[in-house]
Amino acid sequence: MATADGHDQPVAPSVVSLRRLEGGFLHLPMRFFVQGANTDEVRRVPCMAWLIENHNLKKKVLFDMGLRKDVESYTPAVFRRMQTTVKAEIPEDIYDSLRKMQIDPQSDVDSVIFSHLHYDHVGDPSRMGTQTSFVLGPGASDLITGPKSYPENQDSHYDSNLITNGRILNLPSADSNLWVAFGPFPKTYDYFHDGSLLIVLAPGHCPGHINALLRIESDRWVYLAGDTAHDPRILDGTKQMAEYWDDDTGGFKCAHIDKNEAMLHVQRVRDLKNYINVEVILSHDGNWLNSNKHRF
Ligand SMILES: [Zn+2]
């Protein structure tokens, strides 16, 4: 930008602001996630959701929606899981947080970006006003369409009625040249076209898993890592991702559909600090939340 005396001044980069929303808690049996965890070790972890605001563009976007309070409205398979294997507590949900912030979900939220479509991240989209669109990573929408989803498939965790018609915004397919490299990541998408929010392809966890890299100051970034890992010890390399025996299928299972891809992505997230000044936040990191309750 040229000033009156003809000298160029650097233009400040666009930034977003970030606020945390309550999304309830899960009681995670750690043997599903951390190799070598005791079979009876259960940790109460948050399902964090976020409000991202681009003040220049006057846009409000959510990243994930945590758990819904009316758990009986999940598909029967999810509801069963919540009664048996992974218990939940939802003292407050994102709608409680938005109300406290005086943000009206019926009119004020432009879009919701889902890191992925697992039940602990999608909340209750039906309570958002009709102006809100729901942004999905490449391949995610296949999970909630077609005969594999509920109710055609009664055992599915994915509900074909999750998002009403016409409100899904699919990000470009992974082979589109709209995805460009940034730092250690081969594929990122500039969501607001001003560099303040990069969507990052995060393969390995489940179809369409994406993360968000936010510029919150000119030299300060936050990386919302979704379910890249379910425990910070996996991110810092002191523990490994679990593979555990599953009686139902008679085989070994992993919380990620492709463990090798998931581990490669974890390594990229670790490497990010070599490029920028960044704080990485996992959706279910209870340690992070305990020490950062009043930030964001
Ligand atoms: Zn999750």
Side-chain angles (χ1 to χ4, degrees), residues 26 67-88 90 119-120 150 154-159:
L26 289 176
L67 290 159
R68 65 190 295 160
K69 280 185 176 174
D70 55 341
V71 293
E72 63 285 352
S73 298
Y74 281 120
T75 74
V78 168
F79 183 63
R80 267 198 310 276
R81 179 178 164 89
M82 296 176 78
Q83 306 308 305
T84 53
T85 331
V86 181
K87 302 249 165 68
I90 310 110
Y119 68 95
D120 51 320
Y150 178 83
Q154 283 283 318
D155 294 328
S156 178
H157 282 210
Y158 301 104
D159 191 342

Side-chain angles (χ1 to χ4, degrees), residues 14-15 26 63 70 127 190 207 226 242:
S14 294
V15 295
L26 289 176
F63 186 75
D70 55 341
R127 293 173 61 191
D190 185 355

Side-chain angles (χ1 to χ4, degrees), residues 127-151:
R127 293 173 61 191
M128 283 286 162
T130 50
Q131 82 291 341
T132 307
S133 49
F134 296 89
V135 179
L136 304 183
S141 66
D142 295 346
L143 297 171
I144 49 170
T145 47
K148 283 189 177 169
S149 59
Y150 178 83

Side-chain angles (χ1 to χ4, degrees), residues 20-87:
R20 186 176 59 81
L21 308 174
E22 297 295 338
F25 297 86
L26 289 176
H27 293 248
L28 290 186
M30 293 314 288
R31 69 185 185 93
F32 296 157
F33 303 99
V34 174
Q35 193 68 35
N38 282 334
T39 50
D40 58 354
E41 184 186 353
V42 174
R43 284 197 187 186
R44 178 180 182 270
V45 302
C47 301
M48 289 187 266
W50 301 90
L51 169 69
I52 299 164
E53 281 188 78
N54 185 315
H55 298 277
N56 285 342
L57 301 176
K58 299 190 171 44
K59 294 284 185 196
K60 288 187 179 68
V61 170
L62 305 192
F63 186 75
D64 281 347
M65 291 176 63
L67 290 159
R68 65 190 295 160
K69 280 185 176 174
D70 55 341
V71 293
E72 63 285 352
S73 298
Y74 281 120
T75 74
V78 168
F79 183 63
R80 267 198 310 276
R81 179 178 164 89
M82 296 176 78
Q83 306 308 305
T84 53
T85 331
V86 181
K87 302 249 165 68

Side-chain angles (χ1 to χ4, degrees), residues 26 47 116 118 120-121 205 226-227 230 283-284:
L26 289 176
C47 301
H116 61 299
H118 284 161
D120 51 320
H121 297 256
H205 181 54
D227 282 2
H230 295 79
S283 294
H284 302 301

Side-chain angles (χ1 to χ4, degrees), residues 6 10 12 15 18 31 61 66 94 119 122 138 143 166 170 190 216 219 243 254 266 281 292:
V15 295
L18 182 65
R31 69 185 185 93
V61 170
I94 63 139
Y119 68 95
V122 298
L143 297 171
N170 287 304
D190 185 355
I216 59 167
D219 184 32
E243 283 183 279
C254 176
V266 165
I281 306 173
N292 293 282

Side-chain angles (χ1 to χ4, degrees), residues 5 8 19 33 43 49 59 75 80-81 89 150 173 187 203 231 243 255 265 269 285:
D5 60 3
D8 283 348
R19 294 169 87 180
F33 303 99
R43 284 197 187 186
K59 294 284 185 196
T75 74
R80 267 198 310 276
R81 179 178 164 89
E89 275 170 69
Y150 178 83
S173 74
K187 297 196 187 249
D231 189 289
E243 283 183 279
H265 182 63
V269 175
D285 188 348

